[in-house]
Amino acid sequence: MSVSSRWTTIKRASLCRTCLRKHPGACPVTTLCGVNGCERRHHQLLHSSGSSQLLSDIPPELSRVNTSCNVHSATSGGVMFKYVPVTLYGNGKKVDTIAILDDGSSATFMEHDLLRQLGISGKHRPLCISWTGNQSRVEDESVELSVKISGVGSSFIYDMNTVHTVRTLGLCDQSVEPRQLATQYSHLRGLPLPLYQNASAKVLIGIDNCFLSQTLKTVERGTNEPSASKTRLGWVVYGPCSSSASDCNRYDGNTFMNVHICPCNKKKDDEMDLALKEYFSLESLGVYRPMKQLRSDDEEHALKILSSNVRLVDGHFEASLLWKYDTIKLPDNKAMALRRHECLERKLRRNPN
């Protein structure tokens, strides 16, 4: 059976996915999968790197970066997030967009469309994203790279390292009108606050790039009034506000939940723990499985070619041909092909039927 057929069979027969038997209550078998370091509680025959597997058993090939999240709530009172206009640079191009400074996120993200606009590439590294309510999604086309960034109109350009791309951040639109803010909040007068209308953040800068979001100067007043901070990317205004001062995140009296993604890298087991898991896995299954996958020289050479030449172009992958040798000189075989053709013609003429 294929792996998807095996999953269908055990669900139809109400079998335990760990021991493949029927039993009441929790399964007494505590052995983990162990295939390619997989730490899921399912049988080895149910392990797959395909996309047909349940989200609760996403294979390690697609979950090398496991993600959790924090949730920011915007109530009907109105609130402004730390949005700041920025410019991204790459491959001789630059793109103006909006970034959100999120000190609660342990990583930095940007939407994949910005990667295409800049015409740059990075290292393919899939993401497994999970958030509240046991919801999950896989970013199997995610790319990890470094991008140069600056505030809009600024001559100071910085490196933004370890950026992960996602299909969309799904953050809410926000508008800021500096004149209206200065009219209602006197402590914001004279500050070079950015002006933008109905802008949605396409970049999320986490704590791993705190050099960019670090507060250099702060202006604040009341507890229920917005504050402004100067960062290396420019001034940002954030906090509670009124509709007359800015088009904050208001949603007709309903609470809007804005989910910010942040990853926590999965800890690797040390050599002793892995050896113990392999031992118990073999004892419970009663079958032999090599401790380490061995590859031939040709296989290693092929993997080397793939790792150095695969690239993501317009949402699909391109890979070079897996030549056995690095230097290929193909001979001129036209004369040989003509001789074979002539021999075939002579053979057919001798036997018309």
Side-chain angles (χ1 to χ4, degrees):
M1 290 183 177
S2 64
V3 176
S4 59
S5 299
R6 295 169 186 171
W7 277 99
T8 302
T9 300
I10 67 167
K11 286 188 290 184
R12 185 185 297 115
S14 300
L15 301 178
C16 173
R17 65 183 182 182
T18 304
C19 65
L20 305 185
R21 298 182 179 90
K22 277 190 177 182
H23 56 75
C27 181
V29 178
T30 59
T31 306
L32 302 179
C33 173
V35 177
N36 295 329
C38 178
E39 297 183 352
R40 303 284 179 178
R41 287 194 60 185
H42 57 228
H43 197 279
Q44 289 181 331
L45 295 176
L46 300 178
H47 180 85
S48 171
S49 58
S51 58
S52 61
Q53 195 168 350
L54 298 177
L55 285 174
S56 59
D57 286 284
I58 297 173
E61 291 83 358
L62 296 181
S63 59
R64 283 171 287 182
V65 177
N66 294 327
T67 63
S68 60
C69 69
N70 56 69
V71 180
H72 294 186
S73 303
T75 62
S76 59
V79 67
M80 288 184 292
F81 294 116
K82 289 186 175 182
Y83 279 19
V84 57
V86 297
T87 302
L88 302 179
Y89 303 85
N91 200 23
K93 302 177 183 178
K94 61 179 182 179
V95 176
D96 293 335
T97 185
I98 299 293
I100 180 173
L101 309 181
D102 188 354
D103 293 337
S105 175
S106 60
T108 300
F109 299 86
M110 76 177 189
E111 294 190 358
H112 203 86
D113 186 60
L114 295 175
L115 191 74
R116 300 189 182 98
Q117 294 182 43
L118 292 172
I120 56 180
S121 60
K123 180 181 178 181
H124 177 232
R125 190 178 185 189
L127 289 171
C128 173
I129 302 172
S130 60
W131 58 95
T132 55
N134 294 324
Q135 302 180 63
S136 300
R137 92 166 185 255
V138 174
E139 293 282 350
D140 51 6
E141 294 186 0
S142 180
V143 173
E144 182 181 309
L145 72 161
S146 296
V147 183
K148 293 188 178 298
I149 188 173
S150 73
V152 171
S154 174
S155 59
F156 295 97
I157 301 177
Y158 307 98
D159 290 326
M160 187 166 61
N161 300 315
T162 318
V163 182
H164 301 272
T165 63
V166 293
R167 292 189 296 271
T168 178
L169 288 174
L171 300 178
C172 61
D173 293 341
Q174 180 171 286
S175 300
V176 168
E177 176 53 59
R179 292 184 179 180
Q180 294 181 6
L181 286 171
T183 300
Q184 184 160 356
Y185 303 106
S186 59
H187 65 291
L188 299 180
R189 294 173 186 171
L191 298 179
L193 300 178
L195 168 66
Y196 52 86
Q197 296 290 332
N198 299 323
S200 175
K202 306 298 183 183
V203 179
L204 188 152
I205 301 178
I207 198 67
D208 59 335
N209 282 289
C210 63
F211 176 79
L212 300 174
S213 60
Q214 185 176 358
T215 300
L216 306 178
K217 183 179 180 181
T218 302
V219 177
E220 59 183 1
R221 192 171 66 177
T223 56
N224 294 319
E225 295 180 330
S227 301
S229 297
K230 180 182 180 181
T231 68
R232 289 181 171 85
L233 299 177
W235 282 86
V236 294
V237 58
Y238 56 95
C241 65
S242 62
S243 59
S244 61
S246 172
D247 291 334
C248 305
N249 302 301
R250 293 175 170 273
Y251 296 88
D252 300 326
N254 298 323
T255 298
F256 174 75
M257 304 301 289
N258 190 17
V259 179
H260 294 180
I261 307 166
C262 66
C264 50
N265 288 328
K266 185 178 180 181
K267 295 182 179 179
K268 297 181 179 179
D269 295 322
D270 57 25
E271 185 176 356
M272 181 60 71
D273 288 339
L274 183 59
L276 286 173
K277 290 178 182 178
E278 295 283 351
Y279 171 76
F280 287 117
S281 177
L282 294 176
E283 286 294 314
S284 62
L285 294 177
V287 296
Y288 171 77
R289 181 166 54 88
M291 296 292 289
K292 182 179 180 181
Q293 183 179 3
L294 298 179
R295 300 187 180 97
S296 65
D297 292 341
D298 290 339
E299 290 174 330
E300 292 290 351
H301 183 67
L303 290 175
K304 181 180 179 181
I305 294 177
L306 285 177
S307 62
S308 59
N309 291 283
V310 173
R311 59 177 182 169
L312 181 66
V313 179
D314 296 331
H316 64 271
F317 289 96
E318 291 183 355
S320 61
L321 293 176
L322 301 181
W323 295 104
K324 186 174 183 180
Y325 304 104
D326 294 330
T327 303
I328 300 298
K329 293 183 179 180
L330 297 178
D332 184 4
N333 63 343
K334 182 178 179 180
M336 180 181 65
L338 288 174
R339 286 197 300 270
R340 289 185 176 180
H341 175 69
E342 293 169 355
C343 292
L344 179 61
E345 284 186 333
R346 288 196 298 269
K347 181 179 179 181
L348 295 176
R349 281 196 294 268
R350 288 196 300 268
N351 188 357
N353 291 332

